[in-house]
PDB file of all heavy atoms in Angstrom:
ATOM      1  N   GLU G   1      44.456 -13.520   3.384  1.00 96.00           N
ATOM      2  CA  GLU G   1      45.460 -13.659   4.446  1.00 96.00           C
ATOM      3  C   GLU G   1      46.881 -13.499   3.911  1.00 96.00           C
ATOM      4  O   GLU G   1      47.758 -12.956   4.587  1.00 96.00           O
ATOM      5  CB  GLU G   1      45.293 -15.019   5.135  1.00 96.00           C
ATOM      6  CG  GLU G   1      45.998 -15.130   6.468  1.00 96.00           C
ATOM      7  CD  GLU G   1      45.411 -14.203   7.540  1.00 96.00           C
ATOM      8  OE1 GLU G   1      44.210 -13.900   7.503  1.00 96.00           O
ATOM      9  OE2 GLU G   1      46.186 -13.785   8.413  1.00 96.00           O
ATOM     10  N   LYS G   2      47.115 -13.925   2.673  1.00 94.00           N
ATOM     11  CA  LYS G   2      48.456 -13.799   2.093  1.00 94.00           C
ATOM     12  C   LYS G   2      48.828 -12.335   1.897  1.00 94.00           C
ATOM     13  O   LYS G   2      49.976 -11.943   2.131  1.00 94.00           O
ATOM     14  CB  LYS G   2      48.540 -14.558   0.773  1.00 94.00           C
ATOM     15  CG  LYS G   2      48.489 -16.059   0.964  1.00 94.00           C
ATOM     16  CD  LYS G   2      48.534 -16.792  -0.347  1.00 94.00           C
ATOM     17  CE  LYS G   2      48.400 -18.282  -0.078  1.00 94.00           C
ATOM     18  NZ  LYS G   2      48.345 -19.051  -1.308  1.00 94.00           N
ATOM     19  N   SER G   3      47.877 -11.519   1.491  1.00 93.00           N
ATOM     20  CA  SER G   3      48.144 -10.077   1.354  1.00 93.00           C
ATOM     21  C   SER G   3      48.484  -9.473   2.707  1.00 93.00           C
ATOM     22  O   SER G   3      49.417  -8.668   2.832  1.00 93.00           O
ATOM     23  CB  SER G   3      46.939  -9.353   0.753  1.00 93.00           C
ATOM     24  OG  SER G   3      46.759  -9.740  -0.578  1.00 93.00           O
ATOM     25  N   LYS G   4      47.742  -9.872   3.719  1.00 96.00           N
ATOM     26  CA  LYS G   4      48.006  -9.382   5.075  1.00 96.00           C
ATOM     27  C   LYS G   4      49.404  -9.820   5.537  1.00 96.00           C
ATOM     28  O   LYS G   4      50.137  -9.036   6.140  1.00 96.00           O
ATOM     29  CB  LYS G   4      46.942  -9.914   6.036  1.00 96.00           C
ATOM     30  CG  LYS G   4      46.946  -9.221   7.383  1.00 96.00           C
ATOM     31  CD  LYS G   4      45.923  -9.795   8.340  1.00 96.00           C
ATOM     32  CE  LYS G   4      44.513  -9.574   7.862  1.00 96.00           C
ATOM     33  NZ  LYS G   4      43.501 -10.026   8.835  1.00 96.00           N
ATOM     34  N   ASN G   5      49.785 -11.048   5.236  1.00 95.00           N
ATOM     35  CA  ASN G   5      51.109 -11.543   5.617  1.00 95.00           C
ATOM     36  C   ASN G   5      52.223 -10.769   4.915  1.00 95.00           C
ATOM     37  O   ASN G   5      53.253 -10.455   5.528  1.00 95.00           O
ATOM     38  CB  ASN G   5      51.240 -13.034   5.317  1.00 95.00           C
ATOM     39  CG  ASN G   5      50.373 -13.876   6.221  1.00 95.00           C
ATOM     40  OD1 ASN G   5      49.938 -13.439   7.286  1.00 95.00           O
ATOM     41  ND2 ASN G   5      50.087 -15.095   5.790  1.00 95.00           N
ATOM     42  N   ILE G   6      52.022 -10.463   3.640  1.00 92.00           N
ATOM     43  CA  ILE G   6      53.024  -9.700   2.890  1.00 92.00           C
ATOM     44  C   ILE G   6      53.214  -8.330   3.525  1.00 92.00           C
ATOM     45  O   ILE G   6      54.343  -7.884   3.740  1.00 92.00           O
ATOM     46  CB  ILE G   6      52.627  -9.573   1.404  1.00 92.00           C
ATOM     47  CG1 ILE G   6      52.793 -10.925   0.711  1.00 92.00           C
ATOM     48  CG2 ILE G   6      53.446  -8.497   0.697  1.00 92.00           C
ATOM     49  CD1 ILE G   6      52.215 -10.983  -0.689  1.00 92.00           C
ATOM     50  N   VAL G   7      52.109  -7.660   3.839  1.00 95.00           N
ATOM     51  CA  VAL G   7      52.202  -6.337   4.464  1.00 95.00           C
ATOM     52  C   VAL G   7      52.914  -6.448   5.809  1.00 95.00           C
ATOM     53  O   VAL G   7      53.793  -5.640   6.131  1.00 95.00           O
ATOM     54  CB  VAL G   7      50.816  -5.686   4.609  1.00 95.00           C
ATOM     55  CG1 VAL G   7      50.885  -4.420   5.449  1.00 95.00           C
ATOM     56  CG2 VAL G   7      50.213  -5.385   3.236  1.00 95.00           C
ATOM     57  N   SER G   8      52.572  -7.450   6.589  1.00 96.00           N
ATOM     58  CA  SER G   8      53.187  -7.642   7.894  1.00 96.00           C
ATOM     59  C   SER G   8      54.699  -7.828   7.772  1.00 96.00           C
ATOM     60  O   SER G   8      55.477  -7.236   8.527  1.00 96.00           O
ATOM     61  CB  SER G   8      52.555  -8.844   8.590  1.00 96.00           C
ATOM     62  OG  SER G   8      53.152  -9.060   9.839  1.00 96.00           O
ATOM     63  N   ILE G   9      55.125  -8.630   6.823  1.00 94.00           N
ATOM     64  CA  ILE G   9      56.556  -8.874   6.602  1.00 94.00           C
ATOM     65  C   ILE G   9      57.260  -7.588   6.172  1.00 94.00           C
ATOM     66  O   ILE G   9      58.334  -7.254   6.681  1.00 94.00           O
ATOM     67  CB  ILE G   9      56.761  -9.992   5.562  1.00 94.00           C
ATOM     68  CG1 ILE G   9      56.341 -11.336   6.171  1.00 94.00           C
ATOM     69  CG2 ILE G   9      58.193 -10.043   5.055  1.00 94.00           C
ATOM     70  CD1 ILE G   9      56.166 -12.450   5.162  1.00 94.00           C
ATOM     71  N   LEU G  10      56.647  -6.854   5.248  1.00 93.00           N
ATOM     72  CA  LEU G  10      57.252  -5.613   4.774  1.00 93.00           C
ATOM     73  C   LEU G  10      57.330  -4.569   5.878  1.00 93.00           C
ATOM     74  O   LEU G  10      58.315  -3.838   5.983  1.00 93.00           O
ATOM     75  CB  LEU G  10      56.496  -5.078   3.564  1.00 93.00           C
ATOM     76  CG  LEU G  10      56.673  -5.904   2.288  1.00 93.00           C
ATOM     77  CD1 LEU G  10      55.726  -5.419   1.200  1.00 93.00           C
ATOM     78  CD2 LEU G  10      58.125  -5.860   1.815  1.00 93.00           C
ATOM     79  N   VAL G  11      56.296  -4.495   6.725  1.00 96.00           N
ATOM     80  CA  VAL G  11      56.323  -3.561   7.854  1.00 96.00           C
ATOM     81  C   VAL G  11      57.466  -3.930   8.793  1.00 96.00           C
ATOM     82  O   VAL G  11      58.215  -3.055   9.247  1.00 96.00           O
ATOM     83  CB  VAL G  11      54.965  -3.540   8.600  1.00 96.00           C
ATOM     84  CG1 VAL G  11      55.086  -2.856   9.952  1.00 96.00           C
ATOM     85  CG2 VAL G  11      53.895  -2.864   7.756  1.00 96.00           C
ATOM     86  N   GLY G  12      57.637  -5.208   9.080  1.00 96.00           N
ATOM     87  CA  GLY G  12      58.728  -5.644   9.950  1.00 96.00           C
ATOM     88  C   GLY G  12      60.084  -5.271   9.379  1.00 96.00           C
ATOM     89  O   GLY G  12      60.944  -4.744  10.089  1.00 96.00           O
ATOM     90  N   TYR G  13      60.269  -5.523   8.100  1.00 94.00           N
ATOM     91  CA  TYR G  13      61.533  -5.166   7.448  1.00 94.00           C
ATOM     92  C   TYR G  13      61.749  -3.656   7.510  1.00 94.00           C
ATOM     93  O   TYR G  13      62.850  -3.183   7.832  1.00 94.00           O
ATOM     94  CB  TYR G  13      61.532  -5.635   5.981  1.00 94.00           C
ATOM     95  CG  TYR G  13      62.777  -5.188   5.247  1.00 94.00           C
ATOM     96  CD1 TYR G  13      63.940  -5.934   5.305  1.00 94.00           C
ATOM     97  CD2 TYR G  13      62.788  -3.994   4.515  1.00 94.00           C
ATOM     98  CE1 TYR G  13      65.093  -5.514   4.663  1.00 94.00           C
ATOM     99  CE2 TYR G  13      63.936  -3.566   3.879  1.00 94.00           C
ATOM    100  CZ  TYR G  13      65.077  -4.329   3.945  1.00 94.00           C
ATOM    101  OH  TYR G  13      66.214  -3.912   3.317  1.00 94.00           O
ATOM    102  N   ALA G  14      60.689  -2.912   7.209  1.00 95.00           N
ATOM    103  CA  ALA G  14      60.800  -1.449   7.196  1.00 95.00           C
ATOM    104  C   ALA G  14      61.165  -0.902   8.572  1.00 95.00           C
ATOM    105  O   ALA G  14      62.021  -0.022   8.689  1.00 95.00           O
ATOM    106  CB  ALA G  14      59.495  -0.832   6.700  1.00 95.00           C
ATOM    107  N   LYS G  15      60.543  -1.419   9.611  1.00 96.00           N
ATOM    108  CA  LYS G  15      60.835  -0.947  10.973  1.00 96.00           C
ATOM    109  C   LYS G  15      62.298  -1.196  11.331  1.00 96.00           C
ATOM    110  O   LYS G  15      62.940  -0.356  11.949  1.00 96.00           O
ATOM    111  CB  LYS G  15      59.926  -1.636  11.990  1.00 96.00           C
ATOM    112  CG  LYS G  15      58.445  -1.389  11.789  1.00 96.00           C
ATOM    113  CD  LYS G  15      58.008  -0.042  12.273  1.00 96.00           C
ATOM    114  CE  LYS G  15      56.501   0.089  12.149  1.00 96.00           C
ATOM    115  NZ  LYS G  15      56.071   1.416  11.791  1.00 96.00           N
ATOM    116  N   MET G  16      62.820  -2.355  10.927  1.00 95.00           N
ATOM    117  CA  MET G  16      64.215  -2.681  11.223  1.00 95.00           C
ATOM    118  C   MET G  16      65.189  -1.781  10.467  1.00 95.00           C
ATOM    119  O   MET G  16      66.339  -1.639  10.868  1.00 95.00           O
ATOM    120  CB  MET G  16      64.514  -4.141  10.862  1.00 95.00           C
ATOM    121  CG  MET G  16      63.902  -5.141  11.820  1.00 95.00           C
ATOM    122  SD  MET G  16      64.441  -6.832  11.459  1.00 95.00           S
ATOM    123  CE  MET G  16      63.377  -7.255  10.094  1.00 95.00           C
ATOM    124  N   ASN G  17      64.725  -1.167   9.368  1.00 94.00           N
ATOM    125  CA  ASN G  17      65.609  -0.384   8.516  1.00 94.00           C
ATOM    126  C   ASN G  17      65.219   1.087   8.422  1.00 94.00           C
ATOM    127  O   ASN G  17      65.647   1.786   7.505  1.00 94.00           O
ATOM    128  CB  ASN G  17      65.661  -1.018   7.126  1.00 94.00           C
ATOM    129  CG  ASN G  17      66.391  -2.339   7.167  1.00 94.00           C
ATOM    130  OD1 ASN G  17      67.612  -2.372   7.196  1.00 94.00           O
ATOM    131  ND2 ASN G  17      65.642  -3.436   7.220  1.00 94.00           N
ATOM    132  N   ASN G  18      64.384   1.533   9.373  1.00 96.00           N
ATOM    133  CA  ASN G  18      63.999   2.945   9.456  1.00 96.00           C
ATOM    134  C   ASN G  18      63.366   3.469   8.163  1.00 96.00           C
ATOM    135  O   ASN G  18      63.688   4.564   7.701  1.00 96.00           O
ATOM    136  CB  ASN G  18      65.200   3.809   9.857  1.00 96.00           C
ATOM    137  CG  ASN G  18      64.772   5.128  10.440  1.00 96.00           C
ATOM    138  OD1 ASN G  18      63.725   5.229  11.058  1.00 96.00           O
ATOM    139  ND2 ASN G  18      65.579   6.144  10.228  1.00 96.00           N
ATOM    140  N   ILE G  19      62.487   2.664   7.584  1.00 96.00           N
ATOM    141  CA  ILE G  19      61.746   3.035   6.380  1.00 96.00           C
ATOM    142  C   ILE G  19      60.283   3.187   6.779  1.00 96.00           C
ATOM    143  O   ILE G  19      59.742   2.339   7.481  1.00 96.00           O
ATOM    144  CB  ILE G  19      61.869   1.940   5.286  1.00 96.00           C
ATOM    145  CG1 ILE G  19      63.335   1.729   4.910  1.00 96.00           C
ATOM    146  CG2 ILE G  19      61.020   2.289   4.070  1.00 96.00           C
ATOM    147  CD1 ILE G  19      63.570   0.502   4.026  1.00 96.00           C
ATOM    148  N   LYS G  20      59.654   4.252   6.347  1.00 97.00           N
ATOM    149  CA  LYS G  20      58.219   4.451   6.606  1.00 97.00           C
ATOM    150  C   LYS G  20      57.412   3.722   5.533  1.00 97.00           C
ATOM    151  O   LYS G  20      57.737   3.792   4.348  1.00 97.00           O
ATOM    152  CB  LYS G  20      57.851   5.935   6.566  1.00 97.00           C
ATOM    153  CG  LYS G  20      58.548   6.774   7.603  1.00 97.00           C
ATOM    154  CD  LYS G  20      57.897   6.599   8.934  1.00 97.00           C
ATOM    155  CE  LYS G  20      58.526   7.550   9.940  1.00 97.00           C
ATOM    156  NZ  LYS G  20      58.351   7.149  11.275  1.00 97.00           N
ATOM    157  N   ILE G  21      56.367   3.025   5.980  1.00 96.00           N
ATOM    158  CA  ILE G  21      55.470   2.318   5.056  1.00 96.00           C
ATOM    159  C   ILE G  21      54.252   3.185   4.785  1.00 96.00           C
ATOM    160  O   ILE G  21      53.608   3.678   5.715  1.00 96.00           O
ATOM    161  CB  ILE G  21      55.020   0.966   5.649  1.00 96.00           C
ATOM    162  CG1 ILE G  21      56.195   0.005   5.768  1.00 96.00           C
ATOM    163  CG2 ILE G  21      53.897   0.349   4.820  1.00 96.00           C
ATOM    164  CD1 ILE G  21      56.602  -0.674   4.489  1.00 96.00           C
ATOM    165  N   VAL G  22      53.933   3.345   3.495  1.00 96.00           N
ATOM    166  CA  VAL G  22      52.746   4.074   3.059  1.00 96.00           C
ATOM    167  C   VAL G  22      51.832   3.076   2.352  1.00 96.00           C
ATOM    168  O   VAL G  22      52.267   2.359   1.453  1.00 96.00           O
ATOM    169  CB  VAL G  22      53.098   5.207   2.072  1.00 96.00           C
ATOM    170  CG1 VAL G  22      51.847   5.965   1.642  1.00 96.00           C
ATOM    171  CG2 VAL G  22      54.134   6.143   2.671  1.00 96.00           C
ATOM    172  N   ALA G  23      50.574   3.018   2.762  1.00 95.00           N
ATOM    173  CA  ALA G  23      49.588   2.164   2.094  1.00 95.00           C
ATOM    174  C   ALA G  23      48.791   3.017   1.119  1.00 95.00           C
ATOM    175  O   ALA G  23      48.197   4.018   1.513  1.00 95.00           O
ATOM    176  CB  ALA G  23      48.661   1.515   3.108  1.00 95.00           C
ATOM    177  N   GLU G  24      48.803   2.636  -0.138  1.00 91.00           N
ATOM    178  CA  GLU G  24      48.019   3.319  -1.161  1.00 91.00           C
ATOM    179  C   GLU G  24      46.643   2.662  -1.269  1.00 91.00           C
ATOM    180  O   GLU G  24      46.454   1.518  -0.871  1.00 91.00           O
ATOM    181  CB  GLU G  24      48.719   3.242  -2.523  1.00 91.00           C
ATOM    182  CG  GLU G  24      50.076   3.900  -2.537  1.00 91.00           C
ATOM    183  CD  GLU G  24      50.753   3.843  -3.901  1.00 91.00           C
ATOM    184  OE1 GLU G  24      50.645   2.814  -4.598  1.00 91.00           O
ATOM    185  OE2 GLU G  24      51.388   4.829  -4.257  1.00 91.00           O
ATOM    186  N   TYR G  25      45.701   3.401  -1.815  1.00 91.00           N
ATOM    187  CA  TYR G  25      44.351   2.883  -2.115  1.00 91.00           C
ATOM    188  C   TYR G  25      43.593   2.409  -0.878  1.00 91.00           C
ATOM    189  O   TYR G  25      42.871   1.413  -0.926  1.00 91.00           O
ATOM    190  CB  TYR G  25      44.414   1.750  -3.144  1.00 91.00           C
ATOM    191  CG  TYR G  25      44.891   2.206  -4.496  1.00 91.00           C
ATOM    192  CD1 TYR G  25      46.236   2.171  -4.832  1.00 91.00           C
ATOM    193  CD2 TYR G  25      43.989   2.685  -5.436  1.00 91.00           C
ATOM    194  CE1 TYR G  25      46.675   2.595  -6.066  1.00 91.00           C
ATOM    195  CE2 TYR G  25      44.420   3.112  -6.668  1.00 91.00           C
ATOM    196  CZ  TYR G  25      45.768   3.062  -6.987  1.00 91.00           C
ATOM    197  OH  TYR G  25      46.203   3.496  -8.203  1.00 91.00           O
ATOM    198  N   VAL G  26      43.738   3.111   0.220  1.00 96.00           N
ATOM    199  CA  VAL G  26      42.956   2.778   1.414  1.00 96.00           C
ATOM    200  C   VAL G  26      41.545   3.303   1.161  1.00 96.00           C
ATOM    201  O   VAL G  26      41.325   4.500   1.103  1.00 96.00           O
ATOM    202  CB  VAL G  26      43.577   3.392   2.685  1.00 96.00           C
ATOM    203  CG1 VAL G  26      42.719   3.084   3.902  1.00 96.00           C
ATOM    204  CG2 VAL G  26      45.004   2.883   2.871  1.00 96.00           C
ATOM    205  N   SER G  27      40.596   2.376   1.021  1.00 94.00           N
ATOM    206  CA  SER G  27      39.263   2.776   0.552  1.00 94.00           C
ATOM    207  C   SER G  27      38.183   2.761   1.621  1.00 94.00           C
ATOM    208  O   SER G  27      37.093   3.268   1.387  1.00 94.00           O
ATOM    209  CB  SER G  27      38.831   1.879  -0.609  1.00 94.00           C
ATOM    210  OG  SER G  27      38.818   0.526  -0.192  1.00 94.00           O
ATOM    211  N   ASN G  28      38.468   2.172   2.786  1.00 96.00           N
ATOM    212  CA  ASN G  28      37.440   2.162   3.832  1.00 96.00           C
ATOM    213  C   ASN G  28      38.076   2.041   5.216  1.00 96.00           C
ATOM    214  O   ASN G  28      39.276   1.780   5.360  1.00 96.00           O
ATOM    215  CB  ASN G  28      36.409   1.042   3.589  1.00 96.00           C
ATOM    216  CG  ASN G  28      37.007  -0.345   3.667  1.00 96.00           C
ATOM    217  OD1 ASN G  28      37.663  -0.703   4.653  1.00 96.00           O
ATOM    218  ND2 ASN G  28      36.794  -1.150   2.638  1.00 96.00           N
TER     219      ASN G  28
END
């Protein structure tokens, strides 16, 4: 859940600052 929360926070920050989020190592 902590990893999910970190991603959620970073996505929110990125959206507010017009930054695209790329997820590496998507395995499934």
Side-chain angles (χ1 to χ4, degrees):
E1 196 66 30
K2 290 178 183 176
S3 292
K4 193 182 295 185
N5 291 341
I6 288 170
V7 171
S8 179
I9 290 166
L10 290 172
V11 166
Y13 176 85
K15 299 282 185 216
M16 287 187 280
N17 291 281
N18 201 31
I19 301 170
K20 298 282 185 202
I21 293 281
V22 181
E24 299 181 321
Y25 294 91
V26 178
S27 59
N28 64 53

